[in-house]
Amino acid sequence: MEAGRQVHRPRTWAIALALAAIVSGCQSKGGVSEVLDPAAVTAPAGQNGAAGAGPVQATQSLGTGSTKVTMLLPLSAPGTAGENGRKMLDATKLAMTDIGNGLLALTVEDTKGDSALAGKLAVTAITTGSKVVIGPTELPAAQHIATLSGSKRPPVLALADNFAGGPGVYAVLLGEADSAAAGAAGLAAKGSKKFVLLVADGPNAGAMEKRVANGLSIYGAALAVTLRYSAGDGAKTVDEMGSLVDAPDAVIVASGNGSPSPVLAALKSKGIPGKTIPVVGTNRWLEHPMDPLFEGAFIATLDPSETGPIADRFRTTYNYPADVNVAYAYDMVALTAGIASAVGPDGFSKKVLENPNGFRGSTGLFRFRADGSSQRSMPFYRIEKGALKLVAKSTSGF
């Protein structure tokens, strides 16, 4: 037992010091908090298992610390949702063993993949003393939580896909706006100045435009025009683009829930992408089968198989490879433990969580914004022969 404490004490102190620097207004190493870098942690032993092994418990308690945390995962949900939930649980256990056990009293609740139940469990956690809520993964539940008022509501680190975020309800997973901004920044960094944004019409279109414009401004580039399109009018929108903008340096296509293929077909009829006008896609494209029309497009997105320094230890511990869902869960538990170590159970303030210098975790560099969105550094790819080919290891647009 003493040997275990000797292994983890240096790690805990490193976290505490790094976060204390943030709280006091100082910058940590390189201007970025390294609190989530797990490279210094020795692999724990005796936890070998596999995702989904054994019966799923509706409620699980982990850790003996003084900071009460609730995590909402779809542990018994059918299909992919349940599988991902159980992977996130294994990642949580690893993070707790690494740094959280003596700092957090973490309760994991099973949402069963049911948005209504997830929302109910979240409200219960918010109103019964949890200092942080990690999850839920269900998008409607996360959106509902973001509408709740209350100045003393604890922060929520939502794990829902395609969640835009809200004040105090932070979107952890990579969002399309950040992918689009980072992809555009990857070209702006190489000299492109004039961009066109074609964005699927919807409630997030305005935020998409603002995020991309902000990312481009860092490089002295700008949006010449933003055009919203709906299903079925992609060709008309592309024609309109041609009448408004003469020879843009690049065209960004943010397709939202739909396939980008109809818009790409219309662009192809105009010779785009071509030798002088590339196309920037987003992570949402990759939710659809790879289309020949995607060829040549640039996309900034997380590598789903890259989980940084926790990859080997996770495989050793659980006998299956880590993926990006594992990394997201590990990082949020590690971040929570780090804050608890540095400033105690009441230290989860906006100033700490919205630190502009960001945090470096197993998913790379990220930071949370006041509107609840996240910004991430990620690899920059070009689609060649139906596959992602790495162009640059990192681009961010912030």
Side-chain angles (χ1 to χ4, degrees):
M1 208 53 176
E2 180 60 31
R5 286 197 293 270
Q6 289 174 350
V7 168
H8 295 294
R9 185 180 295 117
R11 174 69 182 144
T12 302
W13 277 109
I15 293 166
L17 290 173
L19 274 166
I22 294 170
V23 174
S24 65
C26 300
Q27 290 189 351
S28 58
K29 178 183 176 183
V32 175
S33 172
E34 301 288 345
V35 297
L36 303 185
D37 178 8
V41 181
T42 302
Q47 289 189 357
N48 289 335
V56 174
Q57 299 176 23
T59 301
Q60 301 186 42
S61 297
L62 305 172
T64 58
S66 59
T67 301
K68 182 178 179 181
V69 179
T70 299
M71 191 168 195
L72 306 175
L73 296 176
L75 300 177
S76 63
T80 302
E83 181 181 352
N84 288 339
R86 293 185 290 275
K87 288 179 179 179
M88 287 181 169
L89 176 60
D90 283 346
T92 297
K93 291 178 178 178
L94 184 64
M96 289 295 287
T97 299
D98 284 352
I99 57 175
N101 276 339
L103 296 164
L104 309 179
L106 190 150
T107 300
V108 182
E109 299 279 7
D110 180 16
T111 68
K112 303 180 181 180
D114 184 320
S115 292
L117 176 59
K120 181 179 179 180
L121 290 171
V123 170
T124 299
I126 288 169
T127 56
T128 55
S130 289
K131 299 300 183 179
V132 180
V133 177
I134 304 175
T137 65
E138 295 82 3
L139 179 59
Q143 292 171 330
H144 172 67
I145 297 165
T147 67
L148 301 178
S149 61
S151 59
K152 295 185 178 180
R153 184 182 64 190
V156 177
L157 306 176
L159 297 169
D161 201 9
N162 303 319
F163 176 54
V169 185
Y170 301 99
V172 173
L173 277 61
L174 173 64
E176 186 175 31
D178 204 38
S179 175
L187 293 184
K190 297 179 181 297
S192 297
K193 296 297 183 184
K194 184 168 64 173
F195 289 75
V196 171
L197 173 61
L198 302 179
V199 57
D201 199 12
N204 296 327
M208 175 77 67
E209 178 180 17
K210 183 177 180 181
R211 175 72 184 91
V212 173
N214 287 343
L216 289 174
S217 68
I218 297 170
Y219 299 93
L223 287 175
V225 66
T226 296
L227 296 172
R228 301 189 184 193
Y229 70 90
S230 301
D233 69 356
K236 179 181 177 182
T237 303
V238 170
D239 286 339
E240 184 181 357
M241 178 191 80
S243 67
L244 294 172
V245 183
D246 182 32
D249 291 330
V251 177
I252 307 160
V253 179
S255 56
N257 293 328
S259 169
S261 294
V263 171
L264 295 177
L267 288 170
K268 186 176 181 180
S269 71
K270 306 294 184 182
I272 302 172
K275 291 183 178 180
T276 60
I277 307 177
V279 169
V280 176
T282 74
N283 63 316
R284 298 297 302 274
W285 286 27
L286 304 179
E287 297 174 5
H288 305 276
M290 194 67 74
D291 189 315
L293 289 166
F294 294 7
E295 189 71 11
F298 292 90
I299 294 180
T301 189
L302 294 174
D303 180 346
S305 64
E306 177 55 52
T307 52
I310 71 168
D312 291 342
R313 293 189 305 102
F314 187 89
R315 181 187 283 274
T316 298
T317 305
Y318 295 109
N319 294 324
Y320 69 93
D323 62 12
V324 71
N325 294 296
V326 165
Y328 283 134
Y330 184 101
D331 284 358
M332 292 307 102
V333 174
L335 175 60
T336 302
I339 294 173
S341 176
V343 286
D346 296 319
F348 295 89
S349 67
K350 290 171 65 67
K351 180 178 180 180
V352 172
L353 285 167
E354 296 169 16
N355 163 38
N357 294 320
F359 307 97
R360 192 180 305 281
S362 53
T363 52
L365 177 65
F366 68 94
R367 67 182 185 180
F368 295 124
R369 304 178 69 217
D371 63 2
S373 64
S374 62
Q375 297 177 324
R376 290 184 172 274
S377 175
M378 66 204 85
F380 189 42
Y381 300 95
R382 188 172 187 267
I383 297 177
E384 295 184 9
K385 298 180 180 179
L388 295 175
K389 182 177 181 180
L390 187 66
V391 175
K393 291 183 178 180
S394 179
T395 183
S396 67
F398 71 89

